């Protein structure tokens, strides 16, 4: 058994090597500056984040290709993280059903400590491999799924355990970290390491690292859904109209895609049960709602392919 003092010293030594834990001497007097000067300094540092993400775009694209291929064959996308990273995982996953009409089981976000950890810190959860195993076991993970482990440091035990568990089952694994040469990168099948440098408040990885993680998760889910036919151009034509705002958006989407009048749009949406894709197909291809449904089913929900098939002689 490792002596606690020895283990703590080793952890401190490891943290000293991480850029996300680095100290910026130029900000040592930040608490003495004016509020506006602090805001300017923080904003200046944040500008580095998009460039750091840009440097990893080939890796992001490769990850998306793998995710989309597996999801097209019935696999799921599962995110796993702790603290800020875990909350971002849950946020990204929870936005997919209303935006892309996915089943809640298709994109899943796991945060160490469970739902309670979304609003408060659950002490020790990020250090527990057992929690990661239990969370993934509950999902009945298969080799068709993809698991994305998210950790700014790249060393979070919960995330490393989740990736190792998933990989042992044959699932495809992606490690998203904000340090180079991370343990997470080594553990995963595919690594994305977005190096944003030391944080504005030393070690507070909810800042630049969190922003970088959010940007990459945005890309993974959004571009995957584009590849799966969940958009028509940049229109979210699989939107689920569950409230007044989304019903109004559905109407606008059909008008934007077809140029139809409000009356024609309302008629098409009524005929198709409010399904935007189907209404667009009815209006652009001149088919009835039943034919629109059959065409989309035959082309895995890809509207462009369905429109091309409807236009074919």
């Amino acid at each position: 058994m490792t002596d606690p003092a020895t283990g703590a010293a080793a952890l401190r030594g490891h943290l000293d090597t991480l850029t996300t834990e680095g100290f910026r001497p130029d900000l040592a007097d930040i608490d003495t500056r004016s509020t506006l000067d602090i805001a300017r300094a923080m904003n200046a540092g944040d500008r580095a984040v998009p460039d750091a993400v840009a440097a990893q775009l080939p890796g992001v694209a490769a990850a998306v290709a793998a995710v989309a291929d597996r999801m097209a064959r019935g696999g799921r996308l599962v995110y796993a993280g702790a603290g800020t990273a875990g909350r971002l995982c849950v946020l990204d996953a929870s936005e997919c059903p209303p935006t892309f009409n996915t089943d809640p089981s298709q994109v899943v976000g796991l945060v160490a400590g469970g739902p309670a950890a979304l609003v408060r810190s659950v002490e020790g959860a990020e250090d527990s491999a057992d929690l990661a195993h239990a969370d993934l076991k509950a999902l009945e993970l298969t080799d068709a799924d993809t698991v994305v482990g998210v950790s700014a440091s790249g060393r979070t035990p919960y995330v490393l355990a989740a990736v190792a568990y998933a990989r042992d089952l044959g699932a495809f694994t992606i490690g998203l970290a904000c340090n180079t040469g991370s343990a997470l990168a080594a553990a995963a099948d595919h690594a994305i390491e977005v190096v944003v440098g030391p944080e504005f408040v030393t070690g507070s990885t909810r800042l630049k690292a969190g922003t970088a993680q959010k940007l990459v998760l945005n890309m993974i889910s959004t571009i995957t859904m584009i590849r799966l036919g969940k958009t028509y151009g940049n229109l979210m034509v699989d939107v689920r109209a569950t409230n007044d705002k989304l019903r109004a958006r559905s109407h606008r989407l059909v008008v934007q895609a077809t140029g139809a009048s409000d009356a024609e749009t309302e008629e098409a949406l009524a005929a198709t049960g409010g399904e935007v894709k189907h209404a667009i197909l009815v209006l652009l291809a001149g088919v009835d709602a039943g034919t629109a449904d059959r065409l989309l089913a035959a082309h895995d929900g890809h509207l462009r392919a369905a429109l091309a098939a409807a236009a074919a002689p």
Side-chain angles (χ1 to χ4, degrees):
M1 181 179 293
T2 303
D3 176 69
T6 301
L11 178 56
R12 289 194 298 271
H14 180 60
L15 292 180
D16 285 342
T17 69
L18 302 180
T19 59
T20 49
E21 297 291 326
F23 170 68
R24 289 183 56 183
D26 60 309
L27 298 176
D29 66 342
I30 200 69
D31 55 326
T32 69
R33 302 185 195 180
S34 73
T35 301
L36 180 56
D37 283 345
I38 296 173
R40 284 173 173 154
M42 192 170 183
N43 180 246
D46 287 343
R47 292 174 190 161
V49 176
D51 288 341
V53 172
Q56 296 302 312
L57 290 181
V60 173
V64 168
V67 173
D69 178 67
R70 284 170 170 260
M71 290 195 77
R73 292 185 280 116
R76 294 169 294 175
L77 171 60
V78 180
Y79 297 129
T84 296
R87 295 179 190 107
L88 290 171
C89 290
V90 174
L91 173 63
D92 197 78
S94 65
E95 292 289 354
C96 287
T99 306
F100 301 112
N101 202 16
T102 59
D103 187 277
S105 67
Q106 288 182 282
V107 184
V108 179
L110 300 176
V111 57
L118 292 174
V119 293
R120 61 178 175 83
S121 176
V122 177
E123 299 298 334
E126 73 171 53
D127 295 328
S128 176
D130 290 341
L131 281 179
H133 295 164
D135 287 345
L136 288 177
K137 185 176 181 180
L139 292 178
E140 299 182 343
L141 204 69
T142 75
D143 59 6
D145 298 324
T146 300
V147 172
V148 182
V150 186
S151 165
S153 66
R155 59 153 300 278
T156 306
Y158 174 91
V159 178
L160 291 175
V163 166
Y165 181 93
R167 196 168 182 179
D168 285 346
L169 290 177
F172 185 72
T173 56
I174 299 167
L176 171 56
C178 294
N179 286 285
T180 57
S182 66
L184 180 55
D189 295 302
H190 182 78
I192 303 170
E193 294 181 316
V194 184
V195 181
V196 295
E199 295 287 3
F200 187 77
V201 173
T202 306
S204 183
T205 52
R206 70 183 184 87
L207 301 176
K208 289 193 297 183
T211 300
Q213 291 165 353
K214 181 66 168 70
L215 291 175
V216 174
L217 294 178
N218 283 349
M219 290 183 186
I220 290 174
S221 58
T222 303
I223 304 174
T224 294
M225 295 302 158
I226 291 171
R227 294 274 73 89
L228 294 176
K230 296 289 187 177
T231 69
Y232 178 60
N234 64 341
L235 300 178
M236 58 170 81
V237 292
D238 253 346
V239 64
R240 179 177 294 170
T242 55
N243 58 39
D244 288 343
K245 181 189 75 173
L246 293 177
R247 280 185 282 274
R249 180 176 291 163
S250 295
H251 183 104
R252 292 182 70 248
L253 287 166
V254 175
V255 172
Q256 288 168 330
T258 66
S261 68
D262 286 342
E264 291 169 328
T265 296
E266 284 300 314
E267 183 179 352
L269 283 169
T272 58
E275 294 286 348
V276 172
K277 270 185 185 177
H278 296 64
I280 292 171
L281 192 52
V282 164
L283 290 166
L284 290 183
V287 298
D288 59 28
T291 301
D293 187 60
R294 289 191 293 275
L295 283 168
L296 285 165
H299 293 88
D300 299 318
H302 289 258
L303 179 54
R304 285 194 190 277
L307 284 166

